[in-house]
Every structure is written in structure tokens, then in C-alpha cells.
Amino acid sequence: MGVKKVGYEPTWIDKLYIPAILKGMAITFSHLFKKRYTVQYPEEKWIPPAGHRGAIRLNRDEKGRVKCVGCEMCSTACPAKCITVVPGVAPWDDREKYPVRFEIDMLRCILCGMCEEACPEDAIELTVIYDFAGYSREDLIWDKERLLKNFDITVDGKYFERSKEETGL
Amino acid sequence: MAEAGYAFIDIAVLLVKIALVLGVNLLLLALMTLAERRVAGFMQDRYGPNRVGPEGLFQPIADGVKFLFKEDVIPSHVEKVLYILAPSLVLAPALLTFAVIPFGGTLSAFGREIQLQIANLNVGLLYIFALASLTVYGLVLGGWASNSKYPLLGGLRSSAQMISYEISMGLSVIGVLMIAGSLRLNDVVAQQNTLLFGVLPNWNVFLQPLGFLIFLIAAFAETNRLPFDLPEAEPELVGGYHTEYSSMKFAMFFMGEYVALITSSALITTLYFGGWDFPYVDESALGVWGVVLSVLAFSVKTGFFLFLYLWVRWTLPRFRFDQLMNLGWKVMLPLALLNVVLTGIVMYWVV
């Protein structure tokens, strides 16, 4: 069998290296004026695509009350065991129970969205918020108020237009 | 200055010149650390540090403060005296080199002709080479005194590299010296201050293109810049000779590197690009404005070479050590010798 030599023998111009170096330098120089891909974070924010699984919110119903009926399906479904629901007798007559306490430990939450899938009332949902952080562990154990506030700042889809003071994040 | 003793004003002028050169050098050094990172950012489609001050201009101050206040760790296994001495051995020669580089024309003031140059040495070029070679002591001693494997390897590499490239560097300059007929940098600049065939500026880059190329490459190797930064090759040697250093001592190694960068840019300008010569203009006829123009021309040319250093750094990958040695001894050295011979032949027929 004959052997076919494949490959590239450098010519004497290639062996000078200088033209190749100049070519490379032309490329790097052209990049000085190209579009920069950096997102300058606090001023500019990256907008996540639809279906992004960010921080969790508790939805309100049309009367502004918490939509949750305290069935504990979410905390049962949660693989990280980060949801604590303490149900109690509802003060309203359209349901039997409501959550007296509803806490999510965001330090343990893995943002998998299982709670959202488990919820029969569509009361718990994941939002676009990705830039939440706290100064202490307690800061990141979110209670009912905190979760309802997440609903208030994201329900109109204008979360990224709000100021830092407004969102508190 | 021919009379016995210096007049007060002469000393004052000299001190002002020294302060000016030192100040500008240190300021430029600070700016270079910023420019390096900004240009790196731009070339990689990023911004680079742009938060401290307008466009990140105060970043060097923040860095300096950080370096000064960091804990200065001296490991227990080091050779203390040499360990402490090494960073200054890198910085001092680099700063001293600038003394003989003329950065502008001759200014007439106070009834005197003031050379814009700290010392008009008649062995200017030799002085520069002597001091540039001293830098290697700082690196080797730093590597040796650290008493640990990576710094030692870095130090050894730097000595091998610098010695190899110094030879081609020295030989490539001989062409320039043959044309100028003097080691005094002022004479080298003055010789370039004319026109070649009445069209081109009589810069040595046109008379000595090969010599210029060799000198440029050797200058990159001498200043330990990419593609020749083997002494500090991060992926292989952690940090090279400065691995064990911290705080201001670490910063001094870097200051030394950047000052060497500035000096070599100024030297390339002086030797091959006409120094402070603004082409097609007779600076001496313009009085003070001619001097301003000459300083400006010198700054712009030096600035271009500083940018070139950054530009090349973010274009070329690092050499392998055997490639480096091959290039130095088997390519650069013969070419430098050829350049000397060619210059000699041409000068024999032309002059």
C-alpha cells in the first residue's frame, strides 16, 4: 500500500514567522474596536430567558390574599427539604386552610422548580430574580412576607426596571 | 559649564531634570500597569478595570495602597539578605538607565544651553548595556535566595535567556554605532536628524532594518515580556523568580519590569526612530516650540513602543525553552553578525 503524505510543509515565508506575527497583530488590533461582551452588572443587568428558574415567590389571589391553601405538597416534593409550611384554619370562607407560617431556606433551595410543579393552586412560582444575596444566614431564610414581596415586584414583568430601593435586593 | 565649578543654577537645572525624568517614569509606570490590563481587556472584547476613577485611571493608586498595606511575608527558608536585596536590584538599574537617554532638543534658558538629558555620557550606550545586564542579578538572586524550586528555575531561565539575547542585542547595535561613529546617544540622535535621499527621515530603522528587528526581539527578551516571559511562565513555574515574594517586594519586581519596558521603548526610539527628531522639521529654528515639539515627538514614539509591548503580549504565545535558545543562538546571533558585516561593506563603498 502506498502511503499518502498529508500535512503542510511550511514554505520559506512561513518559516520567517514575521508575516504570521503581523497577521496575528492585525487581528488583536481589530479587537480593540470591537463590541465588548461585558455586562456592566450593577448598571446593566442580564435579562434571563423565559422559563428561568430564579428566586421563589408566593402568589396572591385577585383579592391580594396569599393564594396558598397550606396543603404542604411543595414541602413534600422539595428534594432539598427547604420549605417549611405551618398550616392553620383559614380566616376566609373560600378555603379550609392557609399557611400560618411559610418559610423557604434559600441557602438550601436548589431552584429546581419541583414545588412549582407540585402546587395544585399555582400558588408558588419561580421568578427571574437571580441577584439575591444576604449579609447573614437569617437574611436568606425567607418568610411569607418576603415571598409575597417577590410576587409584588415581579408580577408585572418589570423587575429589571425597578430601582434597588424598590426591590430591596 | 566649562568654568571652574558649577553655578547654583546648573545644579538646580540638573536636579529639576532628574526629578522630572524620575517623576515621569514613575507616573508612566503606574499608567502602564493600568494600560496593560485595559488593553488586555480591549483585545479580549472586555473592558478591563474601569471602576476606580474615570475609566479606571485611579486603579494604580488603589493597587499601590493595596501592595503597601499587604502583609510582607518573609518565608523562614530564605536567604534573608539576598532575598531583601533582590527586588531593589531589579528596580534600581532600570531607573538608572534612563539617565543617558536624550528626551528632547537643546533648550536655551538662563543664558545656557540646556540639554534635555540628565547625563551626556560619552559612553552612553555602553552604560545602558552595562546597567541592563545588572537586572539579571536581581532576578537570579531573587530566585536563588527564595530557596525553593520554582523561583530557582525561573531565575536560571532568566539568566540563560538574558545572556543569550544580550549578545545579539549588543551586536545589532554595532550597525548603529558604525553609522553614528559615537557611543554618545546625542550624536546618534543628531545623525538621524537629517533626511535620507531628501525624502525619508534619516532614521536608523530605514538604514538598519535587520538590526532594528534583531534589537526589537532582543529587547522583548531582555525585558522578560511575552513571547519571552519564560522566567515567570505562570503555568509552569507558578510565578517564577517572584513566587515567594509578597507585598511591596513583589510590586518592586513588577515596577522593575515596567521601568525596563519604558527604558527600552525610549532606547528603541533613540537608536532607531530618530529619538526626539520630528521628521521634516528643523527643531533648532523654532526656539522653545521646537523643544516642546521634540519632547512631544519623543513621547509619542516611546508611547507607541510601549503599546507595541502590550500589543505583542496579547498576540503571541510563549516560546518553549529550547525554541527560545534556538532562536537566540542559531538565528539571531548569525543575523546580527551578518548585519554588522553588511553595514561594514556598504559603508566601505558609500562613505
Side-chain angles (χ1 to χ4, degrees):
Chain A
M1 264 168 70
V3 177
K4 190 181 168 196
K5 209 177 161 196
V6 272
Y8 175 71
E9 271 302 312
T11 60
W12 69 272
I13 293 179
D14 294 331
K15 281 182 182 165
L16 276 181
Y17 292 109
I18 306 287
I21 289 172
L22 291 178
K23 220 158 125 193
M25 284 171 75
I27 290 172
T28 39
F29 192 77
S30 75
H31 274 269
L32 284 178
F33 311 104
K34 285 209 172 129
K35 182 181 169 270
R36 322 224 176 281
Y37 290 96
T38 315
V39 176
Q40 307 232 42
Y41 168 64
E43 293 91 34
E44 285 172 56
K45 283 188 175 179
W46 170 67
I47 313 272
H52 178 83
R53 300 199 306 255
I56 296 171
R57 76 184 189 193
L58 265 185
N59 290 347
R60 293 180 191 275
D61 62 10
E62 59 280 1
K63 287 178 184 162
R65 305 171 303 185
V66 62
K67 217 171 175 182
C68 177
V69 295
C71 69
E72 293 182 81
M73 293 279 267
C74 49
S75 61
T76 311
C78 181
K81 297 269 172 280
C82 66
I83 307 180
T84 317
V85 188
V86 177
V89 178
W92 316 300
D93 16 323
D94 59 343
R95 64 185 91 160
E96 287 175 16
K97 292 192 289 180
Y98 90 115
V100 179
R101 219 154 64 90
F102 195 109
E103 273 177 11
I104 297 181
D105 185 350
M106 289 310 286
L107 293 166
R108 297 189 65 174
C109 176
I110 56 171
L111 305 174
C112 64
M114 298 287 268
C115 47
E116 182 176 341
E117 301 213 358
C119 186
E121 296 287 325
D122 286 342
I124 189 166
E125 270 177 12
L126 271 64
T127 64
V128 291
I129 304 174
Y130 53 80
D131 48 352
F132 54 92
Y135 288 99
S136 64
R137 286 173 185 275
E138 289 71 33
D139 265 2
L140 283 166
I141 299 172
W142 289 354
D143 60 4
K144 199 164 75 179
E145 296 312 309
R146 185 70 187 71
L147 293 163
L148 284 170
K149 191 189 167 205
N150 277 356
F151 174 80
D152 297 335
I153 57 177
T154 53
V155 68
D156 53 2
K158 287 181 185 161
Y159 169 68
F160 290 105
E161 289 154 38
R162 288 177 207 280
S163 64
K164 197 176 183 312
E165 289 72 38
E166 207 177 339
T167 61
L169 286 171
Chain B
M1 285 188 219
E3 301 96 71
Y6 289 100
F8 167 74
I9 205 149
D10 286 320
I11 295 171
V13 164
L14 196 62
L15 286 177
V16 165
K17 280 196 286 193
I18 291 173
L20 196 74
V21 168
L22 201 62
V24 168
N25 251 317
L26 291 177
L27 187 71
L28 206 56
L29 144 82
L31 283 176
M32 273 304 282
T33 61
L34 175 68
E36 173 111 84
R37 294 152 73 191
R38 289 286 282 176
V39 169
F42 290 157
M43 285 185 176
Q44 296 166 356
D45 297 339
R46 305 183 279 114
Y47 285 97
N50 62 350
R51 293 281 155 170
V52 194
E55 289 296 306
L57 265 181
F58 300 146
Q59 183 73 40
I61 301 173
D63 288 343
V65 170
K66 185 191 126 184
F67 273 127
L68 278 172
F69 284 99
K70 271 211 157 180
E71 186 189 356
D72 191 2
V73 182
I74 298 182
S76 56
H77 54 73
V78 299
E79 298 263 354
K80 247 192 190 136
V81 179
L82 292 180
Y83 180 85
I84 293 169
L85 192 66
S88 35
L89 276 183
V90 174
L91 183 57
L95 278 171
L96 281 171
T97 317
F98 217 96
V100 292
I101 294 177
F103 54 91
T106 311
L107 184 69
S108 307
F110 313 117
R112 284 171 178 78
E113 298 282 300
I114 299 167
Q115 274 286 339
L116 289 187
Q117 180 189 27
I118 291 174
N120 193 2
L121 232 55
N122 57 358
V123 289
L125 210 53
L126 279 182
Y127 169 84
I128 285 177
F129 277 108
L131 282 176
S133 317
L134 277 181
T135 313
V136 74
Y137 279 100
L139 305 187
V140 170
L141 286 179
W144 175 258
S146 292
N147 207 357
S148 127
K149 60 191 168 204
Y150 293 124
L152 181 63
L153 281 172
L156 285 177
R157 278 183 179 192
S158 74
S159 53
Q161 174 181 330
M162 287 179 119
I163 290 165
S164 313
Y165 279 79
E166 214 144 73
I167 296 170
S168 348
M169 197 181 202
L171 282 173
S172 68
V173 168
I174 288 180
V176 172
L177 299 183
M178 286 163 84
I179 293 171
S182 167
L183 282 164
R184 201 187 284 270
L185 287 172
N186 266 338
D187 297 346
V188 176
V189 173
Q191 166 262 321
Q192 296 180 79
N193 212 338
T194 49
L195 286 184
L196 183 66
F197 309 127
V199 228
L200 281 171
N202 193 18
W203 294 353
N204 279 326
V205 66
F206 301 117
L207 298 171
Q208 295 270 320
L210 183 61
F212 165 67
L213 201 65
I214 295 165
F215 188 85
L216 187 70
I217 295 170
F220 272 88
E222 283 286 300
T223 47
N224 290 323
R225 291 289 294 185
L226 248 111
F228 303 106
D229 70 336
L230 285 107
E232 44 194 295
E234 297 92 348
E236 306 153 27
L237 295 181
V238 188
Y241 52 85
H242 53 59
T243 306
E244 303 281 349
Y245 282 86
S246 55
S247 182
M248 209 53 206
K249 293 198 188 69
F250 175 79
M252 269 170 85
F253 272 123
F254 267 82
M255 284 163 75
E257 189 184 323
Y258 281 108
V259 173
L261 216 64
I262 297 165
T263 318
S264 68
S265 296
L267 193 61
I268 294 170
T269 306
T270 309
L271 290 179
Y272 289 97
F273 280 80
W276 44 262
D277 168 42
F278 192 91
Y280 311 116
V281 175
D282 184 13
E283 288 91 353
S284 53
L286 287 171
V288 177
W289 289 111
V291 176
V292 172
L293 193 68
S294 68
V295 174
L296 215 62
F298 181 78
S299 313
V300 168
K301 288 177 201 170
T302 308
F304 171 76
F305 282 104
L306 285 174
F307 175 70
L308 187 77
Y309 271 110
L310 305 181
W311 188 4
V312 168
R313 168 163 189 187
W314 298 107
T315 304
L316 296 180
R318 180 181 304 125
F319 273 82
R320 219 169 51 209
F321 195 66
D322 59 317
Q323 292 171 331
L324 177 92
M325 286 295 147
N326 263 342
L327 182 70
W329 290 102
K330 292 189 188 164
V331 180
M332 302 263 289
L333 187 59
L335 280 180
L337 283 169
L338 181 73
N339 186 51
V340 173
V341 173
L342 282 181
T343 314
I345 291 171
V346 170
M347 284 192 67
Y348 180 76
W349 291 112
V350 172
V351 184

